[in-house]
Amino acid sequence: MNIETPPAHVDPVLPGSPEVSALVAEIAAGAEHRAAHDLNAHEQIDWIRRARLGAITLPVADGGPGVSVRALLSLVIDLAAADPNVAHVLRAHFWQVNEILRALPPGPQRQRWVEEIRAGKLFGNASSERGEQAAGSFSFATGLTRTGDGFRLNGEKFYSTGTLFADWIGVSAQLDQNTVAAVLVPIDRAGVTVVDDWDGIGQTRTGTGTTTFEDVVVEEHEVLDVRVNDGSPRGASDVALLQLYLQAIITGILRNAADDAARLVRGRTRSFQHAPTASPADDPILHAEVGRITSAAYVAEAAVLAAADEIDAAYRSERLGEPDPALFTAASLAASKVKVHVDEVGLRAANAVFEVGGASAASRSRNLDRHWRNIRTLTLHNPTSYKAAAVGDVFINSTPLPVNGYF
């Protein structure tokens, strides 16, 4: 892929443009090889960096194109169909862009970070930690301490998706007992160690491993936000986008799985003696299976984009200076409902790919199990059963959704 680093005044490529279509096609061209050989997509992420794809959500007022959540997640679906690892690597980046815009008022600090985004720099994630602390809680063992010349950061994170490929790392750290700071540090700063030790069954090349910080210097302008954990009600946040983003990746995987299923049937030269037809391509039972997989992909995409519209409505209220908590709650509820549905149909459809191929579909060389493994891994980011229970409690008892990193 011949994408040169553009001069500073050149705008990022836009979703739906010929340039992005070519970029996605080039990423797709080597995806099966990378998946089969468990290879990181460093080169492909560099293409994205040079194309400044990470700047597409910057508002027009900040020198960006300001694409909608619908347009962003439509692109994520395309990227996930090409390579779900690449799509997942960018999840923390787009969240961090929004966090920068929300946390910083107009001024030199904000402009400094906006220029980094416009230059194509990518942000990784170091928020989650292992240990006994409940997942999703607003409390961390990683600590940020003030020194005479700034701050020092110490701690260990896991599930650092995207960080291996990033230029900057977004870190959540405890400042004192009830206060959490959001900071950004460069990946190459002294004391930062990123280990590619994620051993999951799926999404294996997303850099989802351990990141450690040993007495890392943090400068004043690298502290974006300080928040008190006081149990405040839901406000403007990107949690709904973060969660729906995962369903967009699953949708792209389903699109790829449908293509693989159709290709598998077309390539078969024999069927079973007791099958309805001698030719698999003419077999109505196989037609129905492929039809279900294709339909699952179609409905998943429709659901993701419908929920994206609800997030766009919430963000619109925020841009107008009057963030509406009801709209953000509606967006979170919409994303939760999409998860409950897409997780279920996605796993079923990924399993159905094997129904159209016979024993040869289980051949390791075909690598068809990657679809199920990737979807299964994505669904485990937060338990579907807990999401379904929360949604049901809303409809039965009008119980508010939890306010944490999963809603």
Side-chain angles (χ1 to χ4, degrees), residues 85-381:
N85 286 316
V86 170
H88 201 172
V89 163
L90 299 175
R91 177 176 176 245
H93 169 81
F94 287 112
W95 165 72
Q96 189 64 68
V97 170
N98 281 2
E99 290 294 291
I100 289 170
L101 297 173
R102 180 175 291 115
L104 301 178
Q109 186 185 17
R110 178 189 177 104
Q111 190 58 34
R112 184 171 189 163
W113 290 114
V114 165
E115 290 306 318
E116 286 288 282
I117 297 165
R118 280 180 51 77
K121 299 297 180 63
L122 297 176
F123 297 90
N125 147 66
S127 182
S128 297
E129 298 175 349
R130 286 171 159 171
E132 297 180 359
Q133 185 72 37
S137 61
F138 196 64
S139 179
F140 303 95
T142 298
L144 184 70
T145 56
R146 182 174 285 280
T147 62
D149 57 350
F151 299 86
R152 294 294 187 275
L153 180 67
N154 287 277
E156 180 177 287
K157 301 287 189 176
F158 198 63
Y159 304 119
S160 306
T161 304
T163 294
L164 186 70
F165 307 87
D167 302 289
W168 291 89
I169 310 172
V171 189
S172 299
Q174 205 75 28
L175 193 58
D176 58 39
Q177 184 175 358
N178 297 312
T179 308
V180 170
V183 304
L184 290 171
V185 294
I187 194 169
D188 57 356
R189 181 161 290 171
V192 176
T193 304
V194 180
V195 183
D196 193 9
D197 58 349
W198 168 241
D199 64 349
I201 62 171
Q203 297 300 105
T204 57
R205 297 292 102 200
T206 57
T208 306
T210 302
T211 305
T212 58
F213 305 93
E214 297 181 31
D215 207 30
V216 176
V217 172
V218 178
E219 300 179 16
E220 290 280 353
H221 76 274
E222 293 168 344
V223 178
L224 298 186
D225 194 17
V226 175
R227 302 179 187 179
V228 177
N229 184 17
D230 58 1
S232 299
R234 184 185 308 278
S237 80
D238 297 303
V239 176
L241 172 58
L242 272 172
Q243 299 306 320
L244 190 62
Y245 194 108
L246 297 174
Q247 272 56 61
I249 299 173
I250 292 174
T251 299
I253 295 170
L254 288 175
R255 188 191 290 172
N256 196 358
D259 289 341
D260 273 355
R263 189 180 307 112
L264 191 61
V265 174
R266 286 194 297 267
R268 287 178 58 183
T269 57
R270 67 170 187 160
S271 188
F272 291 89
Q273 189 274 334
H274 52 287
T277 63
S279 169
D282 297 324
D283 188 333
I285 293 176
L286 301 185
H287 294 173
E289 288 290 354
V290 174
R292 290 188 184 97
I293 300 169
T294 302
S295 298
Y298 178 85
V299 174
E301 181 167 358
V304 166
L305 296 182
D309 289 339
E310 300 224 31
I311 298 174
D312 273 324
Y315 286 175
R316 195 174 304 117
S317 74
E318 187 179 19
R319 287 196 302 272
L320 293 173
E322 297 181 358
D324 187 339
L327 290 178
F328 279 92
T329 296
S332 182
L333 182 59
S336 298
K337 289 188 284 188
V338 171
K339 173 184 169 58
V340 172
H341 175 72
V342 171
D343 282 5
E344 182 178 350
V345 300
L347 288 168
R348 189 186 310 134
N351 183 63
V353 173
F354 294 94
E355 299 296 331
V356 304
S360 62
S363 171
R364 173 59 69 186
S365 64
R366 292 186 181 274
N367 202 26
L368 292 173
D369 61 311
R370 73 187 190 279
H371 301 308
W372 187 91
R373 288 186 291 104
N374 286 328
I375 292 175
R376 177 73 277 190
T377 301
L378 287 161
T379 65
L380 296 175
H381 279 70

